[in-house]
Amino acid sequence: MLPKCPLFQIDAFSDRPFGGNPAAVCILQEEIPDTILQAIAAEMNLSETAYIWPKSEHFELRWFTPTTEVPLCGHATLASAWALWSEGYHPLEKPLIFQTKSGELRATLNKSWIELNFPANFSSPVDCPEDLAIALGKPPVSVSTNSWGYLVEVSDPEFVRQYQPNRQQLLALPQPSLCITALAEPDSDYQILSRFFAPQFGIDEDPVTGAAHCFLGPYWRERLGQDTFLAYQASPRGGQVRVTFSGGDRVTLGGQAVTVFRAQLG
């Protein structure tokens, strides 16, 4: 039986409708069975559906793709925070605390920007596997792996924008996802570009990926020599992320959000 609860679709990491990364957000009274959570996510058919419910002084938060639960999702966390603040479930001046499978996550509102405090994800350099070289079709500057998959730097930002992956080649890779990144064009408002592909998670291309910027932050801080930079995820929808990493084990991701519709589940 479906729970009766408010349901929102929110475009995260965007200041306009139909940009950034859409997420569904369900605000529950209490946790419900995983089979129902997964069925709702499949029905919504977005890259992520977030479920939040109050517990003591914090909110519990879980994320589901159309096919599986994931341990961390940045854009759906940002969308969840925006839903709670903008719909009056939580005071605007009070930070949000989420308990998740990746530990405690905090969100604060800074004017029109939501800032998320996330765990940093560090990448280790590896040799480029032959299957990855074939999937790229271009020699990379570097290849690294982290807990999500491959992080590949290329020399040409236009390659990042125009890359058309072969889905079957990506599915055959030993790592479950691929993030390609490059320095942005010299006259750009952004310092870096990226795109993120995860067909093994049921996501051919994620429009804007908060979790990817948890490893892009440490990676690019070392190369740029700066703690804060503005990143653009160059998917067809596109979206911007303000990344702050000054060392340690946490990354701050900043973004905006827009509510596209409000509905009632059940």
Side-chain angles (χ1 to χ4, degrees):
M1 184 176 178
L2 283 175
K4 291 186 180 297
C5 64
L7 173 66
F8 306 92
Q9 183 165 316
I10 295 170
D11 289 344
F13 294 115
S14 178
D15 61 356
R16 58 180 174 80
F18 315 122
N21 201 347
V25 178
C26 284
I27 301 179
L28 305 168
Q29 293 300 311
E30 58 186 5
E31 190 169 15
I32 60 177
D34 286 11
T35 53
I36 299 177
L37 299 178
Q38 187 63 74
I40 295 169
E43 184 78 8
M44 294 305 298
N45 200 32
L46 297 171
S47 62
E48 302 289 345
T49 297
Y51 301 95
I52 45 180
W53 62 96
K55 189 172 182 181
S56 186
E57 296 297 314
H58 65 268
F59 290 89
E60 297 287 321
L61 172 61
R62 296 175 69 183
W63 311 274
F64 285 76
T65 77
T67 61
T68 189
E69 184 175 10
V70 295
L72 183 68
C73 178
H75 85 277
T77 304
L78 190 147
S80 298
W82 176 248
L84 291 170
W85 276 318
S86 64
E87 300 297 326
Y89 288 91
H90 196 73
L92 291 173
E93 69 280 2
K94 190 175 180 181
L96 282 159
I97 301 173
F98 295 111
Q99 293 295 336
T100 78
K101 292 193 172 181
S102 291
E104 182 179 287
L105 305 177
R106 290 178 175 259
T108 56
L109 192 59
N110 184 357
K111 297 181 180 179
S112 65
W113 286 71
I114 295 169
E115 295 180 341
L116 307 174
N117 183 263
F118 271 29
N121 192 345
F122 298 93
S123 304
S124 300
V126 296
D127 293 331
C128 184
E130 183 179 353
D131 288 348
L132 178 58
I134 292 170
L136 289 171
K138 176 184 177 67
V141 173
S142 70
V143 177
S144 305
T145 59
N146 52 61
S147 63
W148 280 88
Y150 289 114
L151 171 58
V152 175
E153 181 187 349
V154 296
S155 58
D156 182 5
E158 190 61 22
F159 177 83
V160 176
R161 295 182 184 275
Q162 300 299 327
Y163 179 57
Q164 296 294 325
N166 180 302
R167 186 174 188 273
Q168 294 307 312
Q169 289 177 340
L170 296 188
L171 284 169
L173 294 176
Q175 296 289 336
S177 70
L178 169 64
C179 179
I180 58 172
T181 185
L183 286 169
E185 297 85 352
D187 59 349
S188 173
D189 292 333
Y190 307 99
Q191 283 74 61
I192 70 156
L193 303 177
S194 69
R195 287 172 68 196
F196 185 81
F197 308 93
Q200 293 188 35
F201 291 123
I203 306 166
D204 284 352
E205 179 172 6
D206 197 36
V208 191
T209 314
H213 289 83
C214 291
F215 55 76
L216 287 166
Y219 181 85
W220 280 111
R221 176 185 184 252
E222 181 179 337
R223 285 151 182 79
L224 294 171
Q226 59 193 69
D227 293 346
T228 298
F229 53 88
L230 193 60
Y232 185 73
Q233 193 154 331
S235 67
R237 290 176 64 99
Q240 60 183 8
V241 184
R242 190 165 59 201
V243 183
T244 301
F245 177 69
S246 54
D249 61 357
R250 308 295 291 184
V251 175
T252 299
L253 307 179
Q256 297 168 291
V258 180
T259 302
V260 177
F261 69 70
R262 300 167 179 83
Q264 178 75 27
L265 186 66

